[in-house]
Amino acid sequence: MAEYKTLKINQIKPNSSVFYLYLNRPSHRNALSRDFFDEFPRALKSLDQNPNVNAIILAGAGDHFCAGIDINTLSSITKSADRGRSGEWFRREIKYLQSAITALEECRKPVIVGIHGACIGGGIDIISACDIRYCTEDAFFSVKEVDLAITADLGTLQRLPGIVGYGNAMELALTARRFSGLEAKEMGLVSRVFGSKDDLDGFVAQIAEDIAAKSPLAITGTKAVLLKSKDLNLEQGLDYVATWNSAMLLSDDLKEATSAFFQKRKPVFSKL
Ligand SMILES: CC/C=C\C=C\CC(=O)SCCNC(=O)CCNC(=O)[C@H](O)C(C)(C)COP(=O)(O)OP(=O)(O)OC[C@H]1O[C@@H](n2cnc3c(N)ncnc32)[C@H](O)[C@@H]1OP(=O)(O)O
């Protein structure tokens, strides 16, 4: 397993196909440095390509999930060229940072995030691109960018409305107000809230193991088709899934799932 400055990857337990991916800069509350943006897509790619991985749990090391962009990084990303060249460079830089977050969606394996403590600014960009979100009761959230004189640009404004609704997204992004885990649940930002970090971790581990035991082909297909459906109308979406399944439905996984049903046993699927 590669070494990272800002991340840590652990197998959840021996022989499991669930892996933890930790934001691992607890001394800085997992603030997102330039190293993070270089390393995060690389780590996701390595998990995506590893046939022993069926599901990924994203979490923050230490007391918080993520304190957003590293404010030191932010103050260093200015270029002293002429205005046009500086603007062109900056646009490329923002797109590079965006691509690190989009890597969560590009990963074929499901990413389940467990959020505790702070989830601020860039932290919201990250969780909005995850597939399933859970948090603790004492988690707190803020779409903080406007307070730093920034129009959020790493995906929150594009993904959050589809998760919490346009009105809620607008209110959260314009006010930058802090909201609690319970409110996050009410708005649909997270699927469940837990009284303690231990309860969160236990539940997330079990859900990840459950998903990891299903057909990897069906799980990958479900993630890909659901993500694609956001950009398509109903007719296009149905057409897309028909094409997808015409290529991938007739698999050994289908045979194994039906045999296991009739033999009243748990199915065992091969790696992806
Ligand atoms: C091109 C632009 C792309 C992306 C833009 C994204 C925008 C954003 O992400 S906006 C959000 C920016 N983040 C924040 O405003 C949060 C700032 N941090 C906090 O509010 C708090 O630290 C906390 C997360 C609530 C945690 O509080 P606490 O547990 O009391 O820790 P602290 O004592 O405050 O911090 C400990 C240590 O970490 C450093 N630190 C915390 N956050 C950041 C950060 N975002 N960037 C850099 N460093 C951070 C803090 O300075 C402390 O350092 P010491 O050296 O120990 O003093």
Side-chain angles (χ1 to χ4, degrees):
M1 208 57 87
E3 286 293 316
Y4 299 98
K5 288 186 202 158
T6 66
L7 302 169
K8 188 174 63 182
I9 296 179
N10 284 345
Q11 192 175 21
I12 191 165
K13 58 181 186 232
N15 301 321
S16 172
S17 57
V18 177
F19 281 65
Y20 279 116
L21 172 56
Y22 283 102
L23 307 182
N24 190 31
R25 240 182 124 218
S27 60
H28 289 74
R29 308 310 185 244
N30 302 321
L32 309 173
S33 61
R34 192 66 191 354
D35 285 332
F36 164 84
F37 288 99
D38 296 337
E39 291 181 347
F40 196 54
R42 197 148 46 81
L44 285 164
K45 192 84 188 166
S46 79
L47 292 164
D48 180 79
Q49 299 293 304
N50 183 341
N52 297 317
V53 178
N54 282 358
I56 300 160
I57 298 174
L58 180 64
D63 294 338
H64 299 279
F65 175 69
C66 176
I69 194 86
D70 186 312
I71 294 167
N72 300 303
T73 302
L74 203 57
S75 52
S76 69
I77 50 174
T78 49
K79 277 251 159 178
S80 56
D82 74 78
R83 199 166 153 182
R85 280 176 178 74
S86 163
E88 195 278 336
W89 174 86
F90 211 166
R91 182 172 190 278
R92 264 188 296 128
E93 182 68 8
I94 292 169
K95 289 184 78 71
Y96 178 74
L97 305 183
Q98 288 173 345
S99 69
I101 308 294
T102 301
L104 286 158
E105 293 181 343
E106 286 168 352
C107 178
R108 292 170 304 148
K109 320 282 171 75
V111 183
I112 304 157
V113 63
I115 306 145
H116 72 294
C119 178
I120 299 178
I124 306 268
D125 291 306
I126 291 176
I127 66 164
S128 304
C130 290
D131 301 311
I132 309 180
R133 290 165 287 276
Y134 299 109
C135 75
T136 55
E137 245 170 49
D138 59 8
F140 56 96
F141 302 79
S142 166
V143 182
K144 186 78 176 151
E145 279 82 346
V146 290
D147 283 349
L148 273 83
I150 298 172
T151 299
D153 55 4
L154 302 189
T156 290
L157 299 185
Q158 290 66 39
R159 295 186 175 103
L160 198 59
I163 301 169
V164 300
Y166 182 86
N168 283 326
M170 185 68 93
E171 191 247 355
L172 297 175
L174 290 181
T175 62
R177 73 175 174 84
R178 215 182 240 215
F179 57 103
S180 67
L182 289 173
E183 205 185 334
K185 167 75 179 75
E186 273 169 30
M187 284 188 289
L189 178 58
V190 297
S191 299
R192 280 182 75 155
V193 185
F194 295 88
S196 72
K197 174 100 170 49
D198 282 350
D199 289 348
L200 170 75
D201 290 345
F203 181 87
V204 172
Q206 189 55 56
I207 282 279
E209 291 285 7
D210 291 349
I211 294 172
K214 297 182 193 297
S215 154
L217 210 48
I219 291 294
T220 285
T222 300
K223 172 169 176 168
V225 169
L226 257 175
L227 278 169
K228 189 75 182 175
S229 75
K230 293 198 286 184
D231 306 326
L232 303 176
N233 65 30
L234 177 64
E235 192 187 338
Q236 293 164 331
L238 289 170
D239 196 54
Y240 186 77
V241 73
T243 306
W244 185 283
N245 265 2
S246 65
M248 272 168 266
L249 185 67
L250 300 176
S251 65
D252 290 346
D253 291 15
L254 179 65
K255 283 185 220 146
E256 170 62 7
T258 49
S259 306
F261 174 78
F262 289 120
Q263 292 164 12
K264 300 188 191 308
R265 62 172 174 82
K266 285 192 175 160
V268 181
F269 300 106
S270 49
K271 298 169 181 178
L272 189 63

